[in-house]
């Protein structure tokens, strides 16, 4: 699986980050960073919820029957936030918050070598599972479990 961070507490390798670790990262942000994350979260959530309400079930009569579509969420969403030199907490918020607004009951996030701001964004976005993996391995893990 590649670049898996070593847990310095007990010298084991871990593929996940706990919600408590994400919360701690959020609490340790500067006031400016925390306010910025809260602001962007609120904006994305309001827009995503409005967007979801705009997509409705449709059914019309056509010659020989009916045509239409129904809107229903999938059970789980897999989100990806690039790791590396320049963390993108916006990737976390834009995908995880939108998945929740769409009605997904489980949100999984993958990010290799996540920065503290990425962990904090996962916390505020209420991510259920945080995987510390990247690339094709992350996509396969989220697709197949």
């Amino acid at each position: 699986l590649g670049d898996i961070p070593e847990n310095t507490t007990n010298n084991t390798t871990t593929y996940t980050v706990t919600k408590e670790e994400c919360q701690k990262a959020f609490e340790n942000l500067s006031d400016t960073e925390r306010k910025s994350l809260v602001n962007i979260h609120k904006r994305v959530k309001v827009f995503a919820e409005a967007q979801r309400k705009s997509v409705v079930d449709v059914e019309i009569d056509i010659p020989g029957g009916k045509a239409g579509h129904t809107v229903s969420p999938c059970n789980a969403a897999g989100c990806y936030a690039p790791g590396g030199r320049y963390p993108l907490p916006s990737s976390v918020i834009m995908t995880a918050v939108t998945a929740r607004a769409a009605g997904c009951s489980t949100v999984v996030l993958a990010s290799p070598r996540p920065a503290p701001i990425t962990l904090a964004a996962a916390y505020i976005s209420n991510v259920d599972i945080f995987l510390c993996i990247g690339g094709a391995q992350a996509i396969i893990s989220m697709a197949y479990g």
Side-chain angles (χ1 to χ4, degrees):
L1 285 172
D3 298 331
I4 305 304
E6 187 174 294
N7 183 330
T8 55
T9 306
N10 56 14
N11 294 325
T12 61
T13 300
T14 181
Y15 295 98
T16 60
V17 177
T18 67
K19 288 186 179 192
E20 292 77 21
E21 290 171 293
C22 292
Q23 181 178 2
K24 184 177 178 183
F26 179 78
E27 292 168 352
N28 288 334
L29 292 176
S30 69
D31 287 343
T32 301
E33 290 173 321
R34 199 169 28 261
K35 285 179 185 177
S36 294
L37 279 184
V38 169
N39 258 351
I40 190 67
H41 175 270
K42 181 180 175 183
R43 289 178 179 185
V44 170
K45 184 178 180 187
V46 167
F47 182 78
E49 288 173 350
Q51 188 176 33
R52 172 58 185 96
K53 289 177 187 172
S54 74
V55 181
V56 296
D57 296 351
V58 173
E59 185 176 281
I60 61 169
D61 292 318
I62 59 170
K66 296 191 179 283
H69 68 253
T70 58
V71 180
S72 59
C74 54
N75 290 329
C79 305
Y80 188 83
R85 196 178 308 173
Y86 305 105
L88 297 172
S90 57
S91 294
V92 177
I93 294 171
M94 295 289 286
T95 57
V97 172
T98 303
R100 284 280 187 227
C104 295
S105 57
T106 302
V107 176
V108 179
L109 173 68
S111 182
R113 298 174 310 280
I117 192 96
T118 305
L119 300 175
Y123 171 73
I124 197 169
S125 301
N126 195 25
V127 167
D128 295 302
I129 300 169
F130 195 127
L131 302 173
C132 292
I133 55 177
Q137 298 92 330
I139 304 307
I140 283 285
S141 296
M142 290 187 290
Y144 291 102

